[in-house]
Amino acid sequence: MNIQQLLLDRFKQALGKIDAPKDTNLPLTRSTRPEFGDYQFNGAMALAKALKQKPRDIAEQILSAVELDDMVAKLEVAGPGFINIHLRPQWLAQKLGDALVHEHLGIDKETPQTIVVDYSSPNLAKEMHVGHLRSTIIGDAVVRTLEFMGHKVIRQNHMGDWGTQFGMLLAHLSDKLASDQVAETALSDLEDFYREAKIRFDEEQGFADRAREYVVRLQGGDTQCSQLWQKFIDVSIAHSEEVYQKLNVTLSRGDIMGESTYNKELAGIVAQLKEANIAVEDQGAQVVFLPELADKEGKPAVYIIQKSGGGYLYSTTDLAAMRYRSFDLDADRILIFTDARQALHFRQTEIVGRRAGLLRESTTYEHCPFGMMLGKDGKPFKTRSGATIKLADLLDEAVQRSATLLASRDSELNDQQRAEIVRKVGIGAVKYADLSKNRTTDYIFDWDTMLSFEGNTAPYLQYAYTRVQSIFRKAGVAQEGINGELIISEPQERALAVQLMQFIEALQQVEKDAAPHVLCSYLFDLASLFMTFYEACPILKTDVAAELRQSRLLLASLTARTLKTGLELLGIETMEKM
Ligand code: ARG
């Protein structure tokens, strides 16, 4: 149940009664201060012009027309014409009670959509880099949330496993294997391997020709070459899987739908576009002109789908993938997570795809860009020597640093439990630091802020969760065993109650905007409100009346479940003790 939506519906009905124009927008927001109530309706201001009346007068009319007695204790007109809405505590208590006994925390599943999510998608010729880390973490949180909301999600790991660079890689691999190395050893460091191959390509006589020959053979389906390619891909995928496992993401082998899978379709796509006169020849290449994206002089953008030598491109594959997802997978939405530098590519791809009928009209094509990960110096995140940072190493470092952070805490945990917590905190910190920022901006990777118990961090939230759990241990009750009525009387109880009811609003926003930071802020606020509540409203003290204690335990229980569920949706593990 979404309070905001419920209120909006009621206001809509009221506006009908006062003959407001149908298309009025309905700004209904959370109040910023307790004295302004829980929500605020600002529609009167927008209507003043249309109805030629003072906003305050309109607000008064809305006030008498709106039917909210069941859920609202007080409505008042404030300032130039705001309507402040104070929810009825008994109503809140009743709704929270419903959420408590609901296995899905009171959140009903939505009408399911089919949503294809393209994320992680590393290039197998190289080691995964930090950009793929962002794609993997953010994409995975969005996928989990969409599934929680009841959608059918199809993960697509659009791995870069094809292209001309495989010619030199395979030629180099073939030489290594000929000199008795096994593939696993030869490819233990993909960055090194790529570098060596590139040097040979640029400098060694005859090697470049062999590399080109390998490309032709690979594309022609030559068996020996395909086997070599398969070996390369297998080892490479194993590298990615090591990272996925450390990261606790939900991607599995079955979700891999690499560029190579579309290979057979590329010729057909180009033919189709030529036939429809959408693609034309330009200097030997097949291109689509895009007047929608003209430059300052009015020259249309050029989208190449086939090179002059006949080779296909990243864009051709994306057109094939688009068709497959929209028509064969029946996607209502296609979400693609890559860094912002590819924004133009996806805009162009959508325009071409729509023109060519490769997207059903009802399918949305949503590129979800993210900013760069920067070092503390504000420059792209690299090692000291300027090399790309390997993700597996980065995650190992996170766990080591987490061990240092947690070493000073004394606890009755055994070594194994402790190691488990250290891992959850370390990995959680890296993931949360990324997820909690608005994804479109660049962000600074800083160990000290992410591994801190203060501020909007994973350790803070994980710790908050353990604190709530410890209340039940101290009270000597199991969460499932608490019964009694909810009583919402103190302002801190009320603030916590309203926040708990707003979980769905946060989730729906993540669902709509593919923006997990909204859920992070929500959980951070929830944890903070819980701490404030717990300080002001004692639970365990002996002089607390029994019903009050039960009621507060119920609030604590819903808080714990909401925190755990929310963190799970972000892909962050919790623990009972720390
Ligand atoms: N492999 C690409 C890269 O690393 C990302 C692929 C994203 N998905 C797509 N359909 N193009 O930049």
Side-chain angles (χ1 to χ4, degrees):
M1 207 233 17
N2 182 330
I3 302 185
Q4 192 177 28
Q5 197 53 53
L6 207 58
L7 288 170
L8 268 177
D9 291 345
R10 304 280 182 97
F11 276 102
K12 219 180 254 171
Q13 286 164 11
L15 291 182
K17 288 196 218 157
I18 66 159
D19 291 328
K22 286 248 163 353
D23 57 349
T24 315
N25 78 335
L26 303 168
L28 184 106
T29 52
R30 294 189 208 171
S31 300
T32 45
R33 301 227 304 259
E35 57 273 31
F36 299 157
D38 302 302
Y39 284 86
Q40 201 167 55
F41 180 70
N42 302 338
M45 262 84 98
L47 281 171
K49 234 193 186 151
L51 295 180
K52 300 203 177 61
Q53 292 178 44
K54 287 204 202 89
R56 268 196 87 98
D57 294 344
I58 298 173
E60 293 293 351
Q61 292 166 41
I62 299 176
L63 215 70
S64 17
V66 73
E67 283 170 37
L68 279 170
D69 287 351
D70 54 334
M71 59 188 288
V72 161
K74 189 168 74 171
L75 281 175
E76 61 198 355
V77 177
F82 300 114
I83 297 178
N84 292 340
I85 304 160
H86 301 257
L87 296 169
R88 195 183 276 284
Q90 297 86 332
W91 183 84
L92 271 174
Q94 191 205 331
K95 295 296 162 196
L96 286 174
D98 294 346
L100 264 163
V101 294
H102 191 277
E103 40 138 12
H104 216 220
L105 299 171
I107 295 170
D108 293 324
K109 301 229 168 178
E110 302 192 337
T111 316
Q113 288 188 311
T114 299
I115 307 180
V116 170
V117 186
D118 172 336
Y119 71 110
S120 192
S121 309
N123 297 323
L124 295 186
K126 287 187 164 186
E127 204 81 47
M128 259 186 168
H129 60 67
V130 287
H132 298 117
L133 180 70
R134 296 208 74 186
S135 177
T136 308
I137 294 175
I138 301 172
D140 204 55
V142 171
V143 159
R144 288 171 189 253
T145 307
L146 293 173
E147 282 182 336
F148 183 79
M149 301 305 275
H151 299 296
K152 176 180 167 200
V153 175
I154 304 176
R155 297 162 175 77
Q156 297 267 277
N157 193 346
H158 190 87
M159 285 180 160
D161 60 357
W162 202 246
T164 44
Q165 74 276 34
F166 279 91
M168 71 176 193
L169 295 170
L170 296 187
H172 187 45
L173 181 60
S174 142
D175 292 347
K176 291 232 171 191
L177 298 186
S179 66
D180 275 352
Q181 262 198 35
V182 290
E184 283 72 14
T185 327
L187 296 168
S188 63
D189 187 316
L190 289 171
E191 287 300 318
D192 285 350
F193 187 86
Y194 187 90
R195 210 171 305 121
E196 286 162 18
K198 182 81 175 74
I199 291 173
R200 290 186 70 190
F201 187 86
D202 292 336
E203 294 170 8
E204 191 180 309
Q205 245 213 331
F207 186 81
D209 288 335
R210 271 182 63 217
R212 286 190 201 102
E213 195 184 302
Y214 266 97
V215 177
V216 177
R217 280 172 60 194
L218 180 65
Q219 290 181 343
D222 167 283
T223 322
Q224 188 235 340
C225 205
S226 303
Q227 280 169 353
L228 209 54
W229 174 81
Q230 194 60 52
K231 215 166 239 158
F232 188 96
I233 297 302
D234 286 345
V235 177
S236 233
I237 289 179
H239 284 286
S240 311
E241 283 181 332
E242 188 196 343
V243 173
Y244 295 155
Q245 202 174 9
K246 286 191 179 169
L247 270 180
N248 173 38
V249 293
T250 61
L251 273 172
S252 65
R253 210 164 258 238
D255 304 320
I256 297 177
M257 190 73 186
E259 293 182 17
S260 63
T261 35
Y262 300 101
N263 188 36
K264 312 171 286 305
E265 293 176 41
L266 305 183
I269 294 275
V270 174
Q272 183 186 337
L273 268 71
K274 271 164 73 173
E275 187 117 334
N277 280 325
I278 293 170
V280 292
E281 194 177 318
D282 185 47
Q283 298 166 46
Q286 293 298 327
V287 308
V288 181
F289 288 108
L290 303 172
E292 297 92 331
L293 299 173
D295 65 10
K296 279 196 223 90
E297 280 95 57
K299 261 199 1 223
V302 182
Y303 186 83
I304 310 178
I305 59 170
Q306 189 173 21
K307 291 194 274 194
S308 58
Y312 301 107
L313 299 100
Y314 186 58
S315 57
T316 331
T317 306
D318 264 328
L319 290 173
M322 167 194 277
R323 197 209 57 73
Y324 169 71
R325 294 165 181 180
S326 180
F327 285 92
D328 298 356
L329 297 180
D330 235 352
D332 295 302
R333 297 174 71 184
I334 299 171
L335 308 183
I336 303 173
F337 290 85
T338 79
D339 74 44
R341 288 171 299 185
Q342 296 193 38
L344 184 61
H345 162 73
F346 288 108
R347 256 180 83 196
Q348 297 183 336
T349 304
E350 177 172 10
I351 295 175
V352 174
R354 293 222 180 265
R355 212 190 281 173
L358 299 171
L359 263 182
R360 285 185 302 131
E361 211 158 309
S362 59
T363 308
T364 60
Y365 192 72
E366 304 167 50
H367 177 230
C368 309
F370 48 80
M372 293 222 283
M373 190 149 135
L374 306 174
K376 254 178 143 172
D377 54 4
K379 301 213 181 95
F381 195 57
K382 293 257 156 86
T383 61
R384 245 172 242 210
S385 62
T388 324
I389 292 178
K390 284 204 194 136
L391 295 191
D393 295 348
L394 183 88
L395 298 175
D396 290 344
E397 180 167 354
V399 175
Q400 273 160 26
R401 285 180 183 258
S402 159
T404 316
L405 175 77
L406 295 170
S408 56
R409 305 181 86 85
D410 47 30
S411 67
E412 70 273 31
L413 302 166
N414 65 35
D415 286 353
Q416 198 196 340
Q417 291 166 322
R418 196 180 258 271
E420 196 53 22
I421 291 170
V422 161
R423 183 187 61 76
K424 289 180 180 176
V425 170
I427 300 297
V430 171
K431 291 178 83 169
Y432 193 87
D434 196 328
L435 292 168
S436 56
K437 314 289 183 311
N438 186 337
R439 78 169 144 71
T440 52
T441 48
D442 292 345
Y443 97 93
I444 307 238
F445 187 94
D446 178 16
W447 289 117
D448 296 331
T449 31
M450 71 177 78
L451 275 160
S452 161
F453 283 105
E454 271 153 48
N456 188 10
T457 65
Y460 172 80
L461 287 172
Q462 288 166 322
Y463 176 64
Y465 177 75
T466 62
R467 271 199 66 188
V468 192
Q469 293 304 86
S470 77
I471 296 170
F472 298 106
R473 280 197 299 276
K474 285 186 197 140
V477 291
Q479 278 193 57
E480 308 74 54
I482 312 159
N483 41 39
E485 293 289 311
L486 272 159
I487 310 156
I488 310 286
S489 51
E490 299 301 321
Q492 295 84 358
E493 287 170 328
R494 182 192 180 86
L496 180 61
V498 174
Q499 180 75 10
L500 283 166
M501 290 304 299
Q502 288 170 338
F503 188 36
I504 185 163
E505 290 174 28
L507 295 180
Q508 286 177 339
Q509 209 175 331
V510 178
E511 171 184 36
K512 178 166 144 292
D513 300 334
H517 75 276
V518 176
L519 178 54
C520 296
S521 308
Y522 170 83
L523 294 174
F524 178 60
D525 290 344
L526 176 63
S528 310
L529 285 169
F530 180 82
M531 300 293 189
T532 314
F533 152 81
Y534 190 48
E535 262 160 47
C537 307
I539 299 179
L540 299 170
K541 290 210 179 104
T542 43
D543 57 352
V544 179
E547 314 104 67
L548 210 52
R549 178 182 155 108
Q550 290 304 91
S551 164
R552 289 175 181 170
L553 280 171
L554 285 172
L555 276 177
S557 167
L558 192 57
T559 303
R561 282 171 59 197
T562 306
L563 279 175
K564 189 179 169 74
T565 305
L567 286 169
E568 250 164 38
L569 294 180
L570 295 170
I572 291 174
E573 296 172 272
T574 49
M575 55 294 274
E576 301 304 303
K577 292 182 190 175
M578 203 181 232

